[in-house]
Amino acid sequence: LHSFPTRRSSDLCENILNRNFKQTEPLKTLCTDITYLYYGRCEKAYLSAIKDIATGEITAYKISKNITMPLVLETINNLKNKISLNNVLIHSDQGFHYTNPEYIKLLKDNKVIQSMSRKGNCIDNAPMESFFGHLKDELNYKECKTFEELIEKLDDYIYYYNNERYQWSRNKMAPV
């Protein structure tokens, strides 16, 4: 029998974003989530990514064999190495990573505004879900034999997505 910690209502944040996906100022309103990717011989990897809602760019990401707290903390730190997080809004679902005190503290220490989807409402984080959908449709990651090969393919795909993949919603321009 496993004992899981009970989520406290104090760990949840308001849905500040509230599906307002029409953002115009780059690097001010971001969304984040984690997806899994099967590769090799039924091995599983996890991709934590952060997307700029205004530009559509994947601004930071981390790939791991484990879905532990360092995955999301390192994703935030990767972002922090690129931009100032002061007064940036980061929207997520209510997953255990995003309600974890370590994550909440990291955001507060960097003066990030935290926003969360309503319970069981994946449409509230549609930009992130859309990216993961495109990635899984367009990247043949299941053929990767090793974790290193998967990392290389993901790095290449995210570069392509940000710099070369034209999007109808962006007047046929790539995010960058």
Side-chain angles (χ1 to χ4, degrees):
L1 224 55
H2 295 286
S3 174
F4 296 102
T6 305
R7 182 175 294 158
R8 303 178 314 241
S9 60
S10 62
D11 294 335
L12 303 179
C13 293
E14 183 182 346
N15 184 355
I16 298 167
L17 182 60
N18 199 27
R19 296 187 192 173
N20 183 6
F21 303 133
K22 299 280 187 205
Q23 298 294 318
T24 57
E25 190 175 350
L27 302 174
K28 284 297 178 191
T29 307
L30 313 173
C31 55
T32 187
D33 204 354
I34 301 168
T35 195
Y36 62 88
L37 303 164
Y38 286 102
Y39 70 98
R41 303 183 103 182
C42 295
E43 295 182 74
K44 192 189 290 187
Y46 302 91
L47 171 64
S48 169
I50 299 174
K51 183 176 183 178
D52 182 344
I53 295 177
T55 66
E57 179 184 5
I58 300 303
T59 55
Y61 63 98
K62 175 73 178 159
I63 307 154
S64 176
K65 290 182 180 183
N66 304 304
I67 191 164
T68 56
M69 279 310 297
L71 176 63
V72 294
L73 300 176
E74 289 174 25
T75 306
I76 294 293
N77 286 325
N78 288 346
L79 179 66
K80 189 170 83 168
N81 290 335
K82 294 178 182 178
I83 67 168
S84 166
L85 298 180
N86 188 31
N87 214 27
V88 169
L89 183 138
I90 297 182
H91 182 81
S92 70
D93 61 21
Q94 293 183 20
F96 76 91
H97 292 92
Y98 307 117
T99 58
N100 185 291
E102 273 185 280
Y103 180 81
I104 293 168
K105 182 178 182 334
L106 179 61
L107 295 187
K108 282 183 180 178
D109 289 350
N110 286 281
K111 298 178 176 50
V112 171
I113 302 162
Q114 187 176 10
S115 173
M116 283 186 181
S117 299
R118 292 165 296 163
K119 186 174 180 134
N121 212 321
C122 61
I123 297 169
D124 286 351
N125 204 7
M128 208 63 247
E129 299 297 340
S130 174
F131 167 71
F132 288 148
H134 289 299
L135 174 121
K136 289 181 177 185
D137 284 345
E138 297 171 0
L139 180 64
N140 200 359
Y141 61 90
K142 292 178 182 177
E143 286 187 354
C144 295
K145 304 231 183 302
T146 66
F147 184 66
E148 293 71 25
E149 185 181 350
L150 177 66
I151 290 172
E152 186 177 331
K153 277 198 181 257
L154 283 168
D155 287 343
D156 289 347
Y157 180 81
I158 292 172
Y159 179 87
Y160 160 77
Y161 183 88
N162 283 339
N163 297 281
E164 299 170 12
R165 186 183 181 280
Y166 301 123
Q167 299 178 17
W168 286 101
S169 63
R170 305 200 184 286
N171 296 321
K172 300 184 198 174
M173 295 175 62
V176 173

